[in-house]
């Protein structure tokens, strides 16, 4: 089916107490692994491309890959811009056919974050496209952050109310204790803070840096208003592990497809696990559309699974 917007999906997730997985993709194998898992799980899915992903693949390629995957799927697929820190990047993505945007002004002064978010929202809404914004700041582990810095960057509930009212954003990325690019899932979210934010704003809350969040903590957050959960680092780890393993098992291979096929399967396994964890598995019941046959098949390279 054609790409869909994220607004209704996130609203359904919020009301149904499940979350929609938002998975970062940078290449064709990642896009296919993500959409295949969503298709098999009958789950709606958000594919997101970061500005780094756009630099890597090119905006036109990134949009075309996800659009093509969506058109071959029977489940709803969203094409979302992840951490669009520039006004211009958001507008370029809008023009390229993205069905969901994010303006991330969390590094800017509060009033500037509001002003630019509101500008993006005004333009995107004319086109019927929803916008995620960020308040507070989800930090990145490679910056060497301390627990004190993580706490100081958390979202302020009173500010959240003011921010949502003045920007008109459709969903809000909140800093609840997670950190981007963590290699292990050991962070615990501040659920009391999440409750306080939800008491002030009724739009879906977005969890960033979920690769580093303990699964039981993420599950608790879903019960209190987190409706979109971003997963990137874990997918990159799975992709790379699959590649290394395939290279070890087929060291003399010169056909990259035989390696990348394994990476694609590893991505798919992680996405399937996350979709089930987030409770979105089986939430697409009947679309009336049939997916066309897949034109690629898994190559069996032998060896045991991890
Ligand atoms: Zn993020």
């Amino acid at each position: 089916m054609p790409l869909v917007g994220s607004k209704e999906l996130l609203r359904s997730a919020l009301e149904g107490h499940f979350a929609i997985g938002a998975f970062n993709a940078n290449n064709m194998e990642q896009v296919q692994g993500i959409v295949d898992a969503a298709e098999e799980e009958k789950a709606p899915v958000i594919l997101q491309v970061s500005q780094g992903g756009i630099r890597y693949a090119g905006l036109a390629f990134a949009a075309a890959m996800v659009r093509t995957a969506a058109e071959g799927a029977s489940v709803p697929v969203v094409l979302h811009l992840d951490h669009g820190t520039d006004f211009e990047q958001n507008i370029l993505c809008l023009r390229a056919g993205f069905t969901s945007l994010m303006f991330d002004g969390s590094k800017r002064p509060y009033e500037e974050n509001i002003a630019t978010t509101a500008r993006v929202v005004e333009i995107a809404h004319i086109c019927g496209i929803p916008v995620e914004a960020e308040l507070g700041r989800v930090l990145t582990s490679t910056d060497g952050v301390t627990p004190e810095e993580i706490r100081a960057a958390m979202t302020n509930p009173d500010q959240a109310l003011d921010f949502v009212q003045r920007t008109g954003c459709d969903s809000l990325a909140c800093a609840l204790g997670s950190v981007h690019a963590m290699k292990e899932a050991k962070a615990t979210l501040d659920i009391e803070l999440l409750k306080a934010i939800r008491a002030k704003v009724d739009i879906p809350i977005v969890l960033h840096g979920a690769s580093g969040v303990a699964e039981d903590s993420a599950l608790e957050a879903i019960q209190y208003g987190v409706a979109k959960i971003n997963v990137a680092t874990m997918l990159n780890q799975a992709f790379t592990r699959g590649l290394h393993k395939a290279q070890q098992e087929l060291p003399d291979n010169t056909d990259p497809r035989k390696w990348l096929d394994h990476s694609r399967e590893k991505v798919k396994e992680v996405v399937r696990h996350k979709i089930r964890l987030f409770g979105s598995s089986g939430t697409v019941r009947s679309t009336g559309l049939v997916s066309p046959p897949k034109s690629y098949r898994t190559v069996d390279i032998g060896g045991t699974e991890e």
Side-chain angles (χ1 to χ4, degrees):
M1 63 169 72
L3 287 166
V4 302
S6 59
K7 186 162 184 168
E8 288 73 22
L9 289 181
L10 293 184
R11 182 52 64 180
S12 305
L14 189 65
E15 290 168 1
H17 294 287
F18 63 93
I20 298 177
F23 303 100
N24 285 66
N26 300 298
N27 62 31
M28 184 190 79
E29 288 78 10
Q30 289 175 320
V31 169
Q32 289 174 331
I34 294 164
V35 174
D36 278 5
E39 182 78 31
E40 288 179 13
E41 290 298 316
K42 299 205 179 327
V45 71
I46 298 171
L47 267 91
Q48 51 188 24
V49 187
S50 66
Q51 290 189 167
I54 290 170
R55 274 195 300 278
Y56 174 76
L59 182 57
F61 262 95
M65 279 192 298
V66 179
R67 189 185 307 114
T68 301
E71 286 168 356
S74 64
V75 294
V77 178
V78 176
L79 171 55
H80 177 78
L81 170 62
D82 186 29
H83 291 288
T85 52
D86 299 313
F87 173 78
E88 291 79 5
Q89 183 70 75
N90 270 269
I91 302 308
L92 289 170
C93 286
L94 189 63
R95 185 169 180 267
F98 280 54
T99 54
S100 183
L101 298 176
M102 177 182 188
F103 176 72
D104 173 7
S106 62
K107 290 183 182 172
R108 305 183 187 208
Y110 180 63
E111 288 297 329
E112 191 183 330
N113 188 2
I114 287 184
T116 312
T117 301
R119 276 174 80 203
V120 173
V121 168
E122 183 183 3
I123 296 168
H125 282 186
I126 293 170
C127 304
I129 300 300
V131 179
E132 174 184 333
E134 179 162 331
L135 182 66
R137 207 171 140 212
V138 181
L139 303 172
T140 302
S141 65
T142 47
D143 295 338
V145 292
T146 64
E148 293 72 30
E149 286 169 328
I150 295 168
R151 173 131 309 268
M154 284 188 181
T155 306
N156 176 308
D158 291 322
Q159 223 174 30
L161 174 62
D162 181 60
F163 185 87
V164 170
Q165 285 178 337
R166 290 171 63 194
T167 62
C169 64
D170 301 278
S171 58
L172 188 64
C174 291
L176 303 165
S178 62
V179 176
H180 287 117
M182 276 176 68
K183 294 189 173 129
E184 288 178 88
K186 54 187 184 183
T188 303
L189 301 172
D190 187 338
I191 299 297
E192 292 308 313
L193 175 61
L194 174 60
K195 288 181 190 172
I197 294 167
R198 280 287 297 157
K200 300 277 186 180
V201 303
D202 68 351
I203 60 173
I205 304 298
V206 180
L207 176 61
H208 283 244
S211 295
V213 175
E215 290 190 342
D216 57 347
S217 191
L219 280 178
E220 197 177 1
I222 293 171
Q223 297 312 310
Y224 293 105
V226 165
K228 171 176 179 274
I229 300 185
N230 291 8
V231 181
T233 305
M234 202 174 270
L235 293 188
N236 284 336
Q237 288 172 321
F239 185 94
T240 310
R241 262 203 313 274
L243 188 60
H244 287 167
K245 189 161 180 280
Q247 285 174 325
Q248 281 170 0
E249 293 183 10
L250 295 172
D252 298 325
N253 171 53
T254 55
D255 180 351
R257 293 174 297 185
K258 291 184 180 174
W259 291 334
L260 292 170
D261 208 10
H262 209 57
S263 290
R264 180 165 54 199
E265 276 302 305
K266 290 294 178 194
V267 168
K268 185 173 165 183
E269 283 172 20
V270 172
V271 173
R272 185 190 294 124
H273 171 73
K274 290 297 178 186
I275 283 174
R276 290 178 182 175
L277 180 74
F278 300 160
S280 60
S281 182
T283 56
V284 179
R285 294 201 172 79
S286 175
T287 61
L289 294 173
V290 179
S291 180
K294 293 283 181 281
S295 59
Y296 57 86
R297 291 282 179 271
T298 304
V299 175
D300 183 9
I301 64 164
T304 51
E305 295 299 310
E306 288 167 24

